[in-house]
């Protein structure tokens, strides 16, 4: 969907560029006509240099050169109509126009080359991001799943937010998280957690062991980088961590089991009501190795919470970029207050309406990345549309 939107914007941009060519050609025509009809003491020829300069700002080198050639031809027509081409004033104007046309054509070439490099880099980045943040399945056992990722950076597809799903022999496990900070460091931390989850989510039988593997993956990556842990004198300023919510939804039981590692609590939509699934004992974020239990190495001291999750219920997972979005008055987005308006919607429709409402509330620009995952439990044998 995002690739389709980018292709459409590119086509519209090219179409707009063709219309923009009317400006330099129209300028050439207007200056030529007025200069021919103007009194002898009035010279408008110098204005023709604006035509290739304008073309160079949006057109390629060939079109810029064409505009420059037409401008030189127009200056020659003016010279013949008013005096002659050998007139010193028109001769210098033509020479100056040729030089400027050559210069701006060269810069148009440089701009087009740099744009090509940026386009290729974006394509590579998009491919890499698609591998790191894979789309969630629309159906996993009795669950109907939908997801949305909203990057704060306009040209990005992924930041520090993350989500993933994995099927086990007994049900479905889900992960949503938010890496500290922004940029490449946040993406790196997100990729570590996603990689560890995909490797171990099907293998570990219990959630505490799974949390331990996610924790160990981040700690070992820090050791491989030569970090050796945080510097005590830094007061944790450079410490990397990821807030996360790990859920286990069994197929045969109408419950959801979760471990909250410093993440915003999920919201349960049931019969028009919004119920926050607040953990009684939330754990610290991933990456803080001191949460590992000394009595059981590799197993963190976390609490698994169990909540009802029956047929028809919808579970909404989100990152703090959603609830920290602000409107023009700097008020936070009231997610829990907005959700009842979309009660009864299936996950894709719910997220589509929530996304539109969130972007409108924030004026079209979010201050932080935002990820949303909606999960509905279907009745046994019910098809997912």
């Amino acid at each position: 969907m995002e690739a389709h939107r980018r292709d459409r914007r590119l086509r519209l941009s090219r179409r707009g560029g063709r219309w923009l060519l009317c400006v330099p050609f129209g300028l050439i025509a207007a200056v030529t006509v007025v200069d021919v009809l103007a009194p002898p003491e009035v010279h408008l020829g110098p204005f023709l240099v604006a035509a290739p300069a304008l073309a160079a700002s949006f057109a390629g080198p060939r079109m810029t050169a064409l505009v420059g050639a037409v401008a030189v031809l127009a200056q020659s027509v003016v010279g013949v109509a008013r005096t002659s081409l050998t007139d010193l004033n028109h001769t210098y104007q033509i020479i100056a126009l040729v030089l400027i046309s050559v210069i701006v054509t060269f810069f148009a070439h440089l701009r087009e080359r740099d744009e090509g490099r940026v386009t290729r880099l974006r394509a590579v980045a998009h491919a890499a991001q698609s591998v790191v943040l894979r789309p969630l399945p629309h159906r996993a056992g009795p669950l109907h799943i939908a997801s949305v990722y909203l990057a704060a950076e306009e040209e990005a597809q992924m930041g520090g937010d993350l989500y993933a799903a994995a099927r086990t022999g007994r049900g479905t496990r889900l992960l949503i998280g938010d890496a500290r900070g922004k940029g490449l460091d946040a993406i790196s931390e997100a990729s570590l957690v996603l990689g560890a989850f995909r490797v171990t989510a099907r293998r570990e039988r219990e959630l505490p062991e799974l949390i331990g593997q996610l924790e160990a993956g981040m700690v070992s990556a820090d050791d491989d980088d030569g970090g050796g842990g945080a510097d005590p004198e830094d007061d944790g300023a450079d410490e990397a961590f990821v807030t996360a919510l790990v859920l286990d939804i069994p197929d045969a039981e109408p419950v959801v089991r979760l471990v909250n590692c410093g993440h915003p609590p999920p919201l349960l939509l049931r019969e028009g009501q919004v119920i926050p699934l607040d953990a009684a004992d939330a754990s610290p974020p991933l990456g803080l190795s001191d949460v590992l239990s000394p009595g059981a190495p590799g197993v963190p001291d976390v609490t698994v919470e169990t909540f009802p999750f029956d047929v028809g219920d919808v579970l909404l997972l989100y990152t703090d970029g959603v609830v920290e979005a602000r409107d023009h008055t700097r008020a936070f987005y009231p997610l829990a207050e907005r959700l009842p308006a979309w009660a009864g919607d299936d996950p894709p429709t719910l997220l589509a309406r929530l996304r539109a409402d969130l972007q409108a509330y924030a004026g079209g620009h979010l201050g932080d990345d935002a990820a949303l995952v909606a999960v509905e439990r279907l009745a046994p044998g019910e098809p997912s549309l």
Side-chain angles (χ1 to χ4, degrees), residues 87-234:
D87 178 80
L88 189 60
N89 180 46
H90 291 295
T91 299
Y92 280 119
Q93 288 185 20
I94 292 174
I95 294 174
L97 187 54
V98 170
L99 290 175
I100 292 176
S101 297
V102 170
I103 292 172
V104 297
T105 298
F106 175 71
F107 280 109
H109 165 71
L110 295 179
R111 178 181 56 78
E112 187 175 68
R113 184 190 64 182
D114 291 340
E115 288 178 351
R117 289 177 178 173
V118 171
T119 300
R120 290 190 294 272
L121 288 174
R122 285 175 180 169
V124 172
H126 177 64
Q129 290 168 344
S130 298
V131 171
V132 174
L133 191 66
R134 302 171 189 169
L136 298 184
H138 297 297
R139 181 71 182 261
L143 305 181
H144 187 191
I145 304 174
S147 59
V148 167
Y149 196 103
L150 301 174
E153 298 295 333
E154 184 177 356
E155 296 297 334
Q157 287 81 45
M158 178 185 173
D161 291 7
L162 57 107
Y163 49 68
R167 286 288 292 168
T168 68
R170 298 178 296 177
T172 302
R173 283 178 171 170
L174 293 167
L175 165 71
I176 188 168
D178 184 2
R180 174 184 181 270
K182 297 182 180 180
L184 293 178
D185 289 339
I187 294 176
S188 176
E189 298 299 332
S191 64
L192 288 174
V193 175
L194 286 170
F197 178 83
R198 288 167 183 152
V199 170
T200 59
R202 296 177 177 86
R203 188 175 64 197
E204 299 295 344
R205 290 184 57 83
E206 303 299 334
L207 287 183
E209 284 78 3
L210 175 57
I211 298 297
Q213 293 294 334
L214 302 182
E215 182 79 35
M218 292 191 63
V219 173
S220 63
D222 290 339
D223 291 341
D224 291 341
D225 291 339
D231 188 343
E233 296 181 358
D234 290 342

